[in-house]
């Protein structure tokens, strides 16, 4: 089994939005990471992410870029876990 770890893209500050979605820069970072993963000979079977909005948005960008890989939220992937 191979595991690829990546952090979500840059998020907006909490003062701008309590949910802390990805900033435009963060969306660009996620697209660039997805483009790198797209060049791999094999794609992941699943993308696991925390329930945080920024993590979901990053996972969604990667998933769609790689053809719709299944995504799953996991409680054990939150900050400080």
């Amino acid at each position: 089994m191979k595991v690829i770890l990546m952090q979500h893209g840059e998020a907006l500050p909490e003062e701008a939005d309590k949910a802390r979605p990805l900033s435009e820069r963060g969306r660009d970072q996620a697209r660039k990471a997805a483009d790198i993963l797209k060049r791999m000979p094999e794609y992941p079977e699943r993308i696991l992410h925390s329930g945080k909005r920024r993590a979901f948005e990053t996972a969604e960008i990667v998933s769609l870029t790689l053809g719709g890989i299944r995504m799953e939220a996991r409680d054990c992937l939150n900050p400080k876990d």
Side-chain angles (χ1 to χ4, degrees), residues 6-14 16-34 50 52-63 71:
M6 66 181 282
Q7 187 174 10
H8 59 77
E10 178 186 88
L12 293 175
E14 191 173 354
D17 188 327
K18 291 268 187 216
R20 301 214 48 222
L22 291 178
S23 64
E24 188 56 43
R25 181 174 182 224
R27 286 189 287 280
D28 287 340
Q29 290 169 335
R31 284 189 285 271
K32 286 177 185 176
S50 73
K52 301 287 184 184
R53 185 168 166 190
R54 57 196 174 268
F56 171 82
E57 291 174 342
T58 300
E60 185 174 49
I61 290 167
V62 172
S63 173
M71 296 171 34

Side-chain angles (χ1 to χ4, degrees), residues 44-77:
E45 292 179 21
R46 283 181 288 173
I47 298 173
L48 306 178
H49 61 86
S50 73
K52 301 287 184 184
R53 185 168 166 190
R54 57 196 174 268
F56 171 82
E57 291 174 342
T58 300
E60 185 174 49
I61 290 167
V62 172
S63 173
L64 293 174
T65 300
L66 300 181
I69 294 172
R70 182 172 50 143
M71 296 171 34
E72 294 178 24
R74 293 289 174 99
D75 291 334
C76 61
L77 297 174

